[in-house]
Amino acid sequence: MDIGKELVLEMYRKMHRIRNFEQKIKDLTTAGEIPGFAHVSIGEEATAVGVCSALRPTDRITSTHRGHGHLIAKGGDVARMMAEIYGKRTGYCKGKGGSMHIADFSLGILGANGIVGGGIPIATGSALAAKLAKTGEVTACFFGDGAANEGTFHESLNLASIWKLPVIYICENNGFGEFTPTAAVTSVKDIAVRAKGYDIPGYVVDGNDVFEVYRHTSEAAARARAGEGPTLLECKTYRWEGHVVGEGAFISGKYRTEEEVARWKARCPIIALEKAVLESGMLKRDELDRVAQQAREEVEAAVQFARQSPLPEPSEANEDLWI
Amino acid sequence: MEEMERDPSTFIMGEDVALSAFGSTRGLIERFGAERVRDTPISEAGFVGAAVGAAMAGMRPICEIEIAPFIYCAFDQIVNQAAKLRYMSGGQARLPITFRTLYGAAGGAAAQHSETVYPHLLPVPGLKIVAPSGPADMKGLLKSAIRDDNPVVVFEHAALGRSREEVPDGDVLVPIGKASVKRAGKDVTVVAIGAMVPRAIAVANRLAADGIEAEVVDPRTLAPLDEQTLLTSLGKTNRMVIVDEAHLHGSAASEIAATMVEKGFDLLDAPIRRVAALDVPIPFSRPLEAAVLPDERRIEEAIRAVIG
Ligand SMILES: Cc1ncc(C[n+]2csc(CCOP(=O)(O)OP(=O)(O)O)c2C)c(N)n1
């Protein structure tokens, strides 16, 4: 394997951090402690971590309504994320954004987005800035299969292609847009083939294999830095949980079978990583367990931090609009 | 051009900016090249969003939307993204973007190319909106817009491209948020926006022969509105007419009238009158278009009505 032990441990740590964070969000939302909508990404951790592990700290990402995993993978602080989701003043956006709008500009996280497809032109413009200022930075743009049917996706791929922008479009195909199967509303079996229409490279990637995602992203980033333009990666994955926490209370039927969910759970990206590194002898069980335990503790601490943090004062509603 | 020389992080993009289809970017491509004077595909949501992203990544984009009603194709990127992301990120995002667009009726372009679009953006917190009434203010406000660290939408009236006046050389800025008294008078305040300013001045000059002295005030910036200058003028004349090319319903004139009534009720000797476009899409045929838009006759009638 061309990926060193340190990096593998870091990937494992981040995947666990995401898994624990999302599980907490689900539990606390269900318990009524967290307000608002929560879209969790359990089962999709390998895509977020594989992509961000191949980026530099100065590279940028844009994210989506299902963004917690992307942000953690890019280095987001789970305590400040949790506080934001609780609507606390100590959160990343001082309680003004919430789950769907967390940003950390110091880490190159240009923000999650509540508008499906809304981040795609923004990532494209971020890449245009890198090209104009010749910084060598790459922008990775996460979006779902549903967003690939928005006009912004098509307009952005065309722009990035004609201007040869250093951007990587990462379509996380988790099989559904809300409760509609992707196949029922999408003209192509593989969204990656849409790259052809814009004369850019497009690949179907196993989104549950963190190493495969990492390799594809590294290659795409190298092409981008060499001035060769954008790449579309379609990472096939699956969301284990509902579209939104608590959806059972308002949808009037089933949109997928228990067997289908079980089949994908059997392909857990975290267990897949464990198997690969234990079999190759790169890491030992206790090394992995220690990291997993630390990730659990970090998320516990994040919840405590969020609980103990103050809510914003009403007068703060008038702050942060203008520079 | 001066601003693009001053700040290398500025660049301009939009449809046909290189050839300057509407004259506003003439000479830029020769000076700055295709990197910084960037022709886009016909993808308003795409390139407006790219301006948002480029600004967030440290650039200072000037983004041209050829004709104002095309903004509707990019509404999400302007309203949900550009206007909100600084606030929603708790003050992290910097969005120094200038959106520039041609609005208004200039004769026979029909409703999809003639609309006065700014009322749709006025209620959006996080956007500054300017609508200059002539070349000198245009230059000064455009400079201020480009240097502003917030998103500013500059509405240039399609008919004003043909207007001519002395424009000061060099670095003369017109501040955003400051109205201008274009003609002094004591009997009535006529607030006029954009291309309605020269029209209101023409009426005022004619009425002077009848002994009516109208003060013509150009807000220049619609958001944030310079309420103080308007109230000061109202305090002097105690009467007000507001002339706006937008459709009457929900117009900038309506918002200004509401503010004046709320904050200056005691100053008023007569009800405020609004002169605006009729509430139908701007029609194509000349006589129909003329009937819908505010003209000198309607402005004069309104002035005479409030003077009584
Ligand atoms: C413009 C817009 N339309 C609709 C929605 C409502 N909505 C929120 S998430 C979602 C599904 C998005 O599907 P996909 O892009 O595949 O992402 P996933 O939820 O599967 O991660 C929809 C329709 C929205 N937020 N924005």
Side-chain angles (χ1 to χ4, degrees):
Chain A
M1 206 177 323
D2 57 345
I3 305 172
K5 182 171 155 174
E6 285 304 307
L7 181 57
V8 171
L9 261 185
E10 193 54 27
M11 288 172 163
Y12 187 68
R13 178 189 309 282
K14 287 195 168 144
M15 287 168 79
H16 260 291
R17 224 180 248 164
I18 297 170
R19 178 71 57 95
N20 282 296
F21 189 89
E22 298 288 50
Q23 190 61 48
K24 268 281 176 247
I25 296 289
K26 184 188 164 202
D27 295 346
L28 292 166
T29 304
T30 308
E33 186 170 329
I34 290 179
F37 300 113
H39 306 88
V40 299
S41 63
I42 295 176
E44 306 180 31
E45 296 89 348
T47 298
V49 172
V51 168
C52 291
S53 301
L55 300 178
R56 298 178 183 165
T58 47
D59 290 337
R60 292 184 284 271
I61 65 165
T62 63
S63 173
T64 69
H65 58 285
R66 199 177 305 288
H68 307 153
H70 310 142
L71 312 187
I72 292 173
K74 190 69 173 65
D77 171 19
V78 284
R80 292 181 67 198
M81 286 177 63
M82 191 62 85
E84 184 61 35
I85 294 168
Y86 269 78
K88 297 298 180 76
R89 174 202 268 163
T90 52
Y92 262 120
C93 310
K94 307 179 202 168
K96 292 195 171 84
S99 163
M100 283 190 275
H101 300 282
I102 299 176
D104 184 344
F105 278 61
S106 70
L107 295 172
I109 300 169
L110 299 186
N113 211 301
I115 301 297
V116 171
I120 308 178
I122 293 177
T124 307
S126 163
L128 173 60
K131 183 179 164 120
L132 286 170
K134 302 189 172 60
T135 58
E137 295 149 353
V138 166
T139 303
C141 173
F142 289 100
F143 54 94
D145 43 276
N149 291 332
E150 285 280 5
T152 51
F153 165 82
H154 297 274
E155 295 189 14
S156 297
L157 263 66
N158 185 54
L159 277 175
S161 173
I162 59 171
W163 292 343
K164 290 225 171 306
L165 299 181
V167 53
I168 311 169
Y169 296 105
I170 294 127
C171 179
E172 278 176 311
N173 187 346
N174 62 13
F176 299 90
E178 290 186 350
F179 318 111
T180 303
T182 310
V185 289
T186 308
S187 62
V188 287
K189 184 168 122 318
D190 297 323
I191 288 163
V193 306
R194 289 185 173 170
K196 274 210 177 59
Y198 303 99
D199 197 21
I200 66 173
Y203 301 98
V204 175
V205 180
D206 178 353
N208 278 19
D209 180 341
V210 70
F211 302 123
E212 189 180 331
V213 176
Y214 173 83
R215 276 197 205 93
H216 272 283
T217 311
S218 299
E219 284 170 22
R223 271 197 300 279
R225 285 191 230 282
E228 291 167 28
T231 302
L232 172 62
L233 301 180
E234 179 189 7
C235 299
K236 304 263 194 196
T237 181
Y238 196 80
R239 71 168 153 72
W240 293 7
E241 299 297 326
H243 166 63
V244 64
V245 175
E247 69 187 24
F250 61 86
I251 56 170
S252 54
K254 283 201 176 307
Y255 57 95
R256 55 185 184 179
T257 62
E258 301 297 339
E259 299 81 72
E260 182 180 288
V261 179
R263 208 156 358 106
W264 278 92
K265 284 190 174 172
R267 297 196 44 218
C268 172
I270 297 183
I271 293 175
L273 182 154
E274 287 177 359
K275 265 180 88 164
V277 297
L278 290 173
E279 275 169 20
S280 76
M282 178 190 258
L283 287 164
K284 293 196 209 35
R285 186 77 250 176
D286 64 328
E287 289 176 288
L288 293 175
D289 288 347
R290 197 166 338 115
V291 165
Q293 180 55 29
Q294 283 165 356
R296 264 190 297 279
E297 288 164 8
E298 284 164 8
V299 171
E300 259 332 310
V303 173
Q304 292 316 319
F305 174 75
R307 282 184 178 145
Q308 286 156 15
S309 289
L311 286 163
E313 291 296 322
S315 63
E316 290 168 37
N318 278 321
E319 294 170 6
D320 295 322
L321 186 58
W322 307 109
I323 293 186
Chain B
M1 182 172 297
E2 290 165 13
E3 292 304 306
M4 287 182 68
E5 273 175 1
R6 194 174 163 269
D7 183 346
S9 72
T10 55
F11 70 100
I12 188 156
M13 72 175 157
E15 291 157 20
D16 285 317
V17 291
L19 280 180
S20 188
F22 290 87
S24 56
T25 52
R26 192 165 298 148
L28 290 180
I29 183 80
E30 292 81 1
R31 185 71 146 263
F32 300 108
E35 262 310 89
R36 288 181 69 198
V37 181
R38 190 166 277 269
D39 273 344
T40 63
I42 305 161
S43 305
E44 288 79 10
F47 72 77
V48 167
V52 175
M56 284 162 72
M59 302 298 285
R60 194 170 282 276
I62 303 160
C63 182
E64 286 238 344
I65 296 129
E66 253 182 343
I67 315 269
F70 307 165
I71 275 186
Y72 300 132
C73 298
F75 230 45
D76 174 64
Q77 288 295 328
I78 293 185
V79 178
N80 272 323
Q81 315 295 346
K84 293 179 185 167
L85 289 183
R86 177 171 179 78
Y87 187 81
M88 295 187 85
S89 65
Q92 293 184 68
R94 282 178 83 252
L95 291 151
I97 314 169
T98 303
F99 297 108
R100 202 158 169 273
T101 189
L102 284 179
Y103 80 97
Q112 291 174 348
H113 291 74
S114 303
E115 190 176 359
T116 293
V117 164
Y118 49 70
H120 293 285
L121 295 175
L122 282 180
V124 181
L127 293 180
K128 298 185 182 181
I129 314 254
V130 303
S133 64
D137 280 349
M138 183 71 216
K139 177 179 173 184
L141 280 165
L142 193 55
K143 277 174 164 288
S144 296
I146 293 169
R147 290 188 207 180
D148 202 293
D149 284 334
N150 302 286
V152 182
V153 191
V154 179
F155 282 96
E156 176 179 344
H157 195 282
L160 290 177
R162 295 192 286 269
S163 70
R164 297 283 176 265
E165 71 177 355
E166 276 299 315
V167 175
D169 278 336
D171 216 19
V172 180
L173 275 74
V174 172
I176 291 173
K178 204 84 200 92
S180 164
V181 177
K182 296 292 184 194
R183 182 190 193 281
K186 59 176 181 14
D187 299 321
V188 56
T189 299
V190 181
V191 179
I193 300 166
M196 298 299 103
V197 173
R199 211 164 283 184
I201 290 173
V203 174
N205 289 343
R206 223 176 30 244
L207 287 177
D210 293 353
I212 298 171
E213 288 299 340
E215 177 147 298
V216 179
V217 184
D218 174 3
R220 299 196 293 197
T221 301
L222 300 175
L225 186 69
D226 178 2
E227 296 172 3
Q228 201 43 57
T229 299
L230 302 192
L231 286 166
T232 303
S233 177
L234 183 60
K236 191 161 96 175
T237 64
N238 309 113
R239 294 176 158 80
M240 185 174 276
V241 170
I242 309 171
V243 192
D244 183 358
E245 190 177 317
H247 299 297
L248 180 70
H249 192 97
S251 60
S254 303
E255 184 59 30
I256 293 171
T259 305
M260 292 300 111
V261 169
E262 200 168 66
K263 300 196 174 163
F265 187 76
D266 294 340
L267 304 174
L268 283 164
D269 285 347
I272 293 175
R273 290 282 291 256
R274 297 169 297 161
V275 183
L278 306 186
D279 285 320
V280 294
I282 307 297
F284 167 67
S285 169
R286 291 273 173 156
L288 297 177
E289 185 188 90
V292 167
L293 297 174
D295 59 7
E296 293 186 15
R297 186 186 52 79
R298 282 169 59 203
I299 297 170
E300 179 173 338
E301 275 173 17
I303 292 173
R304 289 189 185 280
V306 299
I307 286 181

